[in-house]
Amino acid sequence: MANQINKVKVPVREQDPLLRAKNFDEVCLGYNEEEAVNEATRCLGCKKPLCVTGCPVNINIPEFIAHVKNKDFEGAAKEIAKFSSLPAVCGRVCPQETQCEGKCVVGNMGDAISIGKLERFVADWSRENNIDLSDRLADNGKKVAVIGAGPAGLTCAGDLAKKGYDVTIFEALHSPGGVLEYGIPEFRLPKEKVVAKEVENIKKLGVKIETNVIIGKTLTIDQLFDEEGFNAVFIGSGAGLPKFMGIPGEQANGVLSANEFLTRVNLMKAYDDDYDTPVSIGKKVAVIGGGNVAMDAARTALRLGSESHIVYRRALEQLPARQEEVHHAKEEGIVFDILTNPTEILVDENGNVCGMKCVKMELGEPDESGRRSPVVIEGSDFVMEADTVIMSLGTSPNPLISSNTPGLEVNKRRCIIAEEETGKTTRDGVYAGGDAVTGAATVILAMGAGKKAAAAIDEYLSK
């Protein structure tokens, strides 16, 4: 059987690096029908598919791929819709290499099946062909409030709506989508073509979305129960509070969190000359951090016309970002200053950033876990020029909701305490999931938490 399987995956088309570094058009162009069918034929259709166990929302991957293999793209879309409300998003931003594709049996013989690219193809085909995916049960007369229109909230809302619940999402910002809308750049996740359309699909299930509502300020959770008549509440408010290094000069003009920078560019369309909302970042930008968000910030700064650097205190092979994102960043000309740590932001007489003091690092001896931590090389101090410094060091949940909700407990990281398998919090009838519980994590893990919470809420309200 192994000899009959093509060990090399069908390559996916991409924009030329020199061209895409100067525009915000999508980098990956995806599969066409022929390419998708050819890639689908590589799938073994395992009877005990490990890929499904690697998917946080447990999509029946062999089944949808079998539909693609038979050119039944509508059937594939309807199969995925049983498990996921955001397939076009997941096909673009999920770390498939460590999840479904990481467990693919074919990957033991060569390249794993490109499950993510196939999911993206099916979702895009479904959207372009106006396939109706709005099947739901009859109304059951029970109301659920969802806080936050990000991946956790949208998933929870979609699953509950399919079960017949009257669901309303309350979103603090003026556009739904959460990190999908304001955190991930246009060149990785198009807003109108993808995010808006998938939100619209969730609305077609009957979900209502109220924007510009800040739970904990505009309304409290107590009011949602006592005055609005909701029977349960799911908190999927994310983790939007940025972390900083705590070094001198961080209060200067020109020091931004990656959250703030990407939000400005995305929600205010700062990259579009037709909008009078530019982001001035100067000629040279230093992004501190090595995760996916750092890559997004650095690649965005490059497209705005700046020389863009990733400054990371560990070795290149220790970068936590997806390999695909690092590869794309290198192709586009991002400079990687590895084993480098800032110690002070330098400020000119006008209070603006003019550079950074840094030290070089080296990897020390392995600790008990085998990990080599960076240590400072004495006498290695130097000054790096920079007009803007973007901190991409992670985020934590905003305490606004928890501090205004009696009985809702948080841990020392200000994350809401909730059961992993159900999302049940310390407040009766209140569930939570995603970054509000775990701290900053991936889109698909947030979706998985929303899915688990929806099942638990259904069980709770069915008693």
Side-chain angles (χ1 to χ4, degrees):
M1 176 67 74
N3 293 331
Q4 299 173 13
I5 298 296
N6 189 339
K7 297 180 181 180
V8 180
K9 65 184 176 183
V10 176
V12 68
R13 291 163 290 115
E14 296 177 344
Q15 267 202 82
D16 180 89
L18 295 179
L19 292 176
R20 71 183 192 234
K22 298 178 182 179
N23 66 55
F24 279 80
D25 297 336
E26 195 167 8
V27 169
C28 179
L29 303 178
Y31 285 149
N32 59 29
E33 289 188 12
E34 181 182 1
E35 291 165 340
V37 172
N38 287 341
E39 180 62 18
T41 60
R42 299 181 60 237
C43 179
L44 294 173
C46 301
K47 291 183 178 179
K48 293 183 179 180
L50 298 179
C51 56
V52 176
T53 65
C55 173
V57 294
N58 300 122
I59 292 172
N60 189 338
I61 293 167
E63 184 67 20
F64 100 74
I65 291 180
H67 283 294
V68 175
K69 190 184 301 186
N70 294 323
K71 299 185 180 180
D72 177 15
F73 306 135
E74 181 173 346
K78 289 183 175 178
E79 183 63 34
I80 294 173
K82 296 176 184 176
F83 305 91
S84 174
S85 298
L86 302 169
V89 168
C90 291
R92 286 167 165 83
V93 303
C94 276
Q96 290 97 2
E97 65 276 8
T98 60
Q99 294 178 159
C100 54
E101 293 178 17
K103 293 184 178 294
C104 175
V105 172
V106 176
N108 295 328
M109 314 171 203
D111 294 336
I113 305 300
S114 291
I115 298 168
K117 298 297 188 291
L118 289 174
E119 182 181 16
R120 168 191 165 145
F121 164 77
V122 170
D124 288 354
W125 185 94
S126 172
R127 180 186 67 249
E128 291 160 4
N129 288 275
N130 298 312
I131 303 302
D132 184 5
L133 303 173
S134 60
D135 286 348
R136 56 167 285 161
L137 299 178
D139 291 351
N140 60 26
K142 295 177 182 177
K143 295 174 61 178
V144 179
V146 171
I147 301 170
L154 290 170
T155 298
C156 185
D159 278 17
L160 287 170
K162 291 173 186 176
K163 295 176 184 292
Y165 289 92
D166 179 354
V167 185
T168 302
I169 301 177
F170 296 95
E171 167 58 40
L173 294 174
H174 68 276
S175 296
V179 68
L180 311 176
E181 182 71 16
Y182 64 76
I184 301 175
E186 181 78 7
F187 56 82
R188 279 218 296 137
L189 186 61
K191 305 301 174 266
E192 288 299 323
K193 186 176 83 171
V194 175
V195 178
K197 296 297 183 182
E198 301 226 303
V199 169
E200 193 60 36
N201 282 341
I202 290 171
K203 286 183 177 180
K204 288 178 182 177
L205 291 167
V207 174
K208 298 179 286 293
I209 302 179
E210 294 189 19
T211 56
N212 301 308
V213 179
I214 303 173
I215 301 298
K217 187 173 183 180
T218 313
L219 281 171
T220 65
I221 287 180
D222 283 344
Q223 287 176 309
L224 292 177
F225 282 119
D226 300 337
E227 299 175 16
E228 303 293 328
F230 288 99
N231 304 107
V233 174
F234 173 74
I235 303 172
S237 51
L241 199 62
K243 298 177 181 178
F244 289 83
M245 293 187 70
I247 59 177
E250 279 188 336
Q251 303 304 316
N253 295 326
V255 179
L256 304 168
S257 70
N259 258 29
E260 179 184 356
F261 174 61
L262 292 170
T263 299
R264 285 187 184 187
V265 174
N266 279 327
L267 282 187
M268 298 194 295
K269 301 189 187 299
Y271 59 85
D272 192 331
D273 291 337
D274 291 335
Y275 285 77
D276 191 22
T277 49
V279 175
S280 178
I281 53 175
K283 294 181 179 180
K284 185 173 180 178
V285 173
V287 179
I288 316 303
N292 290 324
V293 178
M295 299 302 146
D296 286 345
R299 296 172 68 195
T300 297
L302 181 75
R303 284 161 169 78
L304 293 177
S306 298
E307 179 185 318
S308 188
H309 290 239
I310 288 283
V311 181
Y312 184 59
R313 70 192 187 103
R314 297 183 183 274
L316 192 63
E317 60 270 18
Q318 293 177 310
L319 283 165
R322 292 181 68 188
Q323 288 185 350
E324 182 178 66
E325 302 310 318
V326 175
H327 171 69
H328 283 158
K330 288 180 177 178
E331 280 189 327
E332 292 165 6
I334 302 297
V335 180
F336 284 77
D337 295 307
I338 59 167
L339 291 169
T340 301
N341 201 39
T343 57
E344 181 180 351
I345 309 295
L346 300 177
V347 184
D348 65 20
E349 63 276 9
N350 297 314
N352 298 315
V353 170
C354 61
M356 294 192 305
K357 284 185 179 180
C358 300
V359 292
K360 296 300 292 183
M361 313 291 285
E362 62 183 354
L363 295 181
E365 294 299 317
D367 59 19
E368 292 180 0
S369 69
R371 191 181 192 195
R372 299 175 64 194
S373 295
V375 294
V376 175
I377 299 175
E378 295 299 327
S380 65
D381 306 64
F382 70 99
V383 172
M384 176 184 292
E385 293 181 1
D387 301 302
T388 297
V389 175
I390 298 174
M391 297 289 183
S392 183
L393 306 170
T395 55
S396 61
N398 190 311
L400 187 63
I401 294 174
S402 57
S403 62
N404 286 285
T405 307
L408 188 66
E409 295 181 10
V410 298
N411 60 24
K412 61 184 179 181
R413 296 186 297 129
R414 293 188 290 195
C415 295
I416 296 170
I417 296 173
E419 295 177 359
E420 183 178 351
E421 289 304 311
T422 65
K424 180 177 172 57
T425 70
T426 53
R427 172 77 183 266
D428 187 48
V430 178
Y431 295 74
D435 292 3
V437 172
T438 61
T442 63
V443 167
I444 189 62
L445 289 177
M447 289 176 61
K451 192 172 188 68
K452 289 177 181 177
I457 290 170
D458 179 45
E459 183 178 351
Y460 167 74
L461 293 179
S462 298
K463 292 178 180 177

